[in-house]
Each structure stands twice: as C-alpha cells, then as structure tokens.
Amino acid sequence: MKLAILGSRGIPNAYGGFEQFAEHLSVPLAAQGLEVYVYCSDKHPYRESEYRGVHLIHCNDPEDRLGAAGQFLYDLHCILDSRKRGFDVILQLGYTSSSIWHRLLPRGVKLITNMDGLEWKRSKYSAPVRRFLKHAEKLAVKSSDALVADSIAIQQYLQEKYKAHSTFIPYGAVIPDDIDESLLKGFGLEPGGYYLLIARMQPDNHVEEAIKGVLQSGSSLPLVVVGNTGNRHGKQLTRKYNDPRIRFVGGIFDMRVLDALRHHCKWYFHGHSAGGTNPSLLEAMAAGAPVCAHNNPFNRAVLGDDAIYFNSYGDVAEQIKATPDPERASTMITANMQKIKTFYTWERIVEDYRNLFHS
C-alpha cells in the first residue's frame, strides 16, 4: 500500500498536534511495510527526504508571507503534487482549506479525512470565515471515501448533521518514563505549589476564564500559562493581567519540561472547547496531572467523572476553594492514567488506522 498524509506541516514534529500525530502514525506504519509519504512545508527545519523510513515531500508554503491565505496555497501545492505519485490512499488531516481543492485530487485514490474539531465554532474567526469553515466541513464530508472522528462527540455530530458514518479513532499519548522534578527549579516552582494551563492563546481555549478564576479565588499560588503570547489575544491577556500570580512563560516544546510541569501542578486547567480529543489533554492525563476542564462534550467524553469542571471564571474560583481531598484527586489521576494505558495508546491507534486503510 502506498499512503500519503496531507494536512500537516511535516515531520519530525516541530509545530503541534497534527504534526505530532503524523509522526506517531507514519513511522510505525512504515516499519510495518507500508510505503508512507508525509507532505511537509518547505520551511520545515528538517530538510532530508526521509525520516525513520517515511518518505518526505517538501512543498512550497507561503504562509510566512501571506498569512492564512498561504495555508490554502500550501494545501494546493501538496494536492497537485499528489496527482503524479500513484497513491492508493490519502489521509487528510483536517479540512479547513484543502476541502475546496478536492476536485483536484488524483482519480482512483481513496480519500480519508480526519475531521478534527468543529472549526466553525471557534470564536477567534470572523462570521464570514466561520460560514466558510462550515461549508468546508460539508465539502469534506461529501468528497471523502471515509471519515475519521477523533471524539465520540464528533462522531455523533457527523451522524446527526450529515447522516454520515465515521470511524472513531482518537489521538494517543505516552506515559512518561520518568519525571524530573529538578526541571521546576528553572521556573522557581515547587511541587504542588502552582496551577498550570497549556494552550494556544485564543478565546475558545478559555485562558482568560482560568486567569480570572485563579485571581478571584484568593489563592496565593501562581498560575503558570504556557503558550505563545505573540498573537493579538495573547498580547491582550499579558497587558490586562500584569499580576505576579499570573506567569506567562511562553511556548515550551520540551516534553520532559512539560511533563514535569504537568505532573507536579496543583491543578491543570484545560479550557479547549471546539476540538475533538485534544492531544494536550491526553498528555496531561498521561503525566498524572489532576484536571479541571471546561465543561463541554469533548472533554467529558475523555475525562468522564475523573475531573472537575468549569463553565465560567466563577466556577474556576469555586473549584479552587472547594478542591477535592487528596484521596479523590489521586483516584482521578490513577483512572485517567489507566485510560491512557488501555485505550489512548499509539499501538492501538496505528492498528485501527491500518485496518481502516485496508478496508
């Protein structure tokens, strides 16, 4: 089987969720004998034509010059290149821009689309963009030979909205081999002596609700906010919350540091609300973080009763004041780690995708 993976900026991962997923999926499949190709941005720092048995195809990516419009052109360049490769299956990660080019996909290839989250619900987009994204979602459903939902909530939505069958395959995570407590010293932190939030700075990730809730709670513990604050929303937050209890530390991509921060935090705030199974949530669960999550179907589908929830900053403040006893928190952590070990494993996910490709 000759497989192509489109929709990421490439591997090895140097960007985010889709890139991490593409790496975790492509490398084992190549080791199992599939001929796997991953499309990469020509701006990717890794310039080789192969990575751990996976073929890499670098295509022109003008996003650095054109912004969001560059994403559409990058997807177009990847699709045009795929027409000459003789692929059996194309796995498309997301549909935001590539769905409009679906008529240009090579004939005779099976197109599988990972539908990701409900992009049109994201409040960071203007009304016209959200209308376009909803149309793009419809195009992706119509043009794909098979759909993948990474959340039960997304699977139910696709069935109810489009009467479309999809295969539920979540993301995965890895239990860290060891947690290095000494890595906290670089941040001036002590185990159990801080709250943590890791997210992109955008409104639908409810970063501000967590910040306001921590401040309103009266807790003396700081909230460590991990994420690039260079965008408009991030700059607004850093200007508005110039308080020693709110520590903006920027983006961190070293998993050993992230795992240490997650494992030793008092509570991990997860505010994502427009996605499916969020990779950063699974990583927090894998690292043994006690989770306080935004109350929505996507987070509840993963966490169930093994978390505390918030709808507003007032809820955050109340949850901090009424923190469950240590035994209850320990029970939630153990249950969430067990989910990672038995359900959200990359071995299982790779096998599910391989079976889908063959079917």
Side-chain angles (χ1 to χ4, degrees), residues 104-233:
L104 298 176
L105 284 161
R107 294 183 179 180
V109 68
K110 295 298 182 183
L111 176 64
I112 299 174
T113 302
N114 181 317
M115 295 298 289
D116 195 29
L118 304 181
E119 293 297 307
W120 54 268
K121 278 193 170 185
R122 293 192 183 278
S123 55
K124 69 175 181 177
Y125 295 125
S126 65
V129 171
R130 291 167 75 174
R131 285 195 295 271
F132 163 75
L133 291 172
K134 201 162 188 178
H135 178 63
E137 177 186 89
K138 184 177 180 179
L139 285 177
V141 171
K142 183 178 179 180
S143 63
S144 300
D145 295 292
L147 304 174
V148 174
D150 65 33
S151 165
I152 292 294
I154 294 292
Q155 186 181 47
Q156 292 171 344
Y157 166 79
L158 293 172
Q159 179 62 42
E160 293 169 3
K161 176 70 175 177
Y162 300 105
K163 301 296 186 288
H165 170 77
S166 60
T167 302
F168 168 56
I169 310 178
Y171 286 118
V174 178
I175 303 290
D177 290 332
D178 66 289
I179 302 292
D180 188 350
E181 182 182 319
S182 68
L183 294 172
L184 300 182
K185 294 179 180 178
F187 301 92
L189 299 171
E190 295 293 333
Y194 60 95
Y195 305 109
L196 179 67
L197 184 148
I198 301 174
R200 291 178 180 173
M201 299 298 113
Q202 53 196 50
D204 51 60
N205 285 342
H206 298 96
V207 178
E208 186 167 19
E209 283 86 344
I211 292 173
K212 291 175 71 173
V214 169
L215 294 177
Q216 183 173 299
S217 73
S219 173
S220 61
L221 300 184
L223 172 64
V224 178
V225 180
V226 178
N228 184 355
T229 56
N231 64 2
R232 183 167 61 179
H233 189 60

Side-chain angles (χ1 to χ4, degrees), residues 21-336:
F21 170 74
E23 182 174 345
H24 276 292
L25 180 64
S26 62
V27 171
L29 288 175
Q32 293 173 17
L34 276 70
E35 189 177 348
V36 185
Y37 294 75
V38 173
Y39 279 87
C40 306
S41 165
D42 65 348
K43 307 302 188 298
H44 196 290
Y46 187 82
R47 304 299 305 156
E48 304 299 322
S49 60
E50 185 175 305
Y51 175 75
R52 297 179 63 185
V54 178
H55 304 283
L56 307 182
I57 303 172
H58 292 84
C59 287
N60 180 257
D61 176 8
E63 185 179 358
D64 59 331
R65 303 190 309 275
L66 303 180
Q71 297 177 18
F72 288 83
L73 292 176
Y74 170 59
D75 283 335
L76 173 61
H77 295 152
C78 294
I79 286 173
L80 291 177
D81 182 90
S82 73
R83 293 167 63 90
K84 60 187 180 184
R85 300 282 182 173
F87 295 124
D88 299 305
V89 174
I90 289 178
L91 173 63
Q92 180 176 253
L93 304 181
Y95 58 82
T96 303
S97 58
S98 55
S99 60
I100 67 171
W101 307 118
H102 71 273
R103 295 185 185 278
L104 298 176
L105 284 161
R107 294 183 179 180
V109 68
K110 295 298 182 183
L111 176 64
I112 299 174
T113 302
N114 181 317
M115 295 298 289
D116 195 29
L118 304 181
E119 293 297 307
W120 54 268
K121 278 193 170 185
R122 293 192 183 278
S123 55
K124 69 175 181 177
Y125 295 125
S126 65
V129 171
R130 291 167 75 174
R131 285 195 295 271
F132 163 75
L133 291 172
K134 201 162 188 178
H135 178 63
E137 177 186 89
K138 184 177 180 179
L139 285 177
V141 171
K142 183 178 179 180
S143 63
S144 300
D145 295 292
L147 304 174
V148 174
D150 65 33
S151 165
I152 292 294
I154 294 292
Q155 186 181 47
Q156 292 171 344
Y157 166 79
L158 293 172
Q159 179 62 42
E160 293 169 3
K161 176 70 175 177
Y162 300 105
K163 301 296 186 288
H165 170 77
S166 60
T167 302
F168 168 56
I169 310 178
Y171 286 118
V174 178
I175 303 290
D177 290 332
D178 66 289
I179 302 292
D180 188 350
E181 182 182 319
S182 68
L183 294 172
L184 300 182
K185 294 179 180 178
F187 301 92
L189 299 171
E190 295 293 333
Y194 60 95
Y195 305 109
L196 179 67
L197 184 148
I198 301 174
R200 291 178 180 173
M201 299 298 113
Q202 53 196 50
D204 51 60
N205 285 342
H206 298 96
V207 178
E208 186 167 19
E209 283 86 344
I211 292 173
K212 291 175 71 173
V214 169
L215 294 177
Q216 183 173 299
S217 73
S219 173
S220 61
L221 300 184
L223 172 64
V224 178
V225 180
V226 178
N228 184 355
T229 56
N231 64 2
R232 183 167 61 179
H233 189 60
K235 291 176 181 177
Q236 289 173 348
L237 292 176
T238 54
R239 286 195 300 266
K240 187 174 181 180
Y241 297 101
N242 183 18
D243 187 295
R245 288 173 292 171
I246 308 301
R247 301 186 187 177
F248 295 96
V249 297
I252 298 174
F253 300 97
D254 186 329
M255 283 300 293
R256 293 179 67 251
V257 175
L258 291 173
D259 285 337
L261 287 171
R262 288 166 173 144
H263 181 79
H264 290 293
C265 68
K266 179 78 171 178
W267 283 101
Y268 176 84
F269 292 103
H270 183 76
H272 296 66
S273 62
T277 302
N278 186 267
S280 63
L281 175 57
L282 298 182
E283 289 165 359
M285 294 162 63
V291 179
C292 179
H294 183 265
N295 186 15
N296 62 68
F298 310 110
N299 293 337
R300 282 195 173 274
V302 176
L303 294 162
D305 294 330
D306 301 311
I308 57 176
Y309 293 93
F310 70 92
N311 290 300
S312 66
Y313 71 87
D315 293 340
V316 172
E318 289 304 314
Q319 293 286 25
I320 289 174
K321 293 176 183 177
T323 298
D325 63 76
E327 184 177 348
R328 168 67 176 137
S330 177
T331 299
M332 292 191 293
I333 290 170
T334 300
N336 284 328

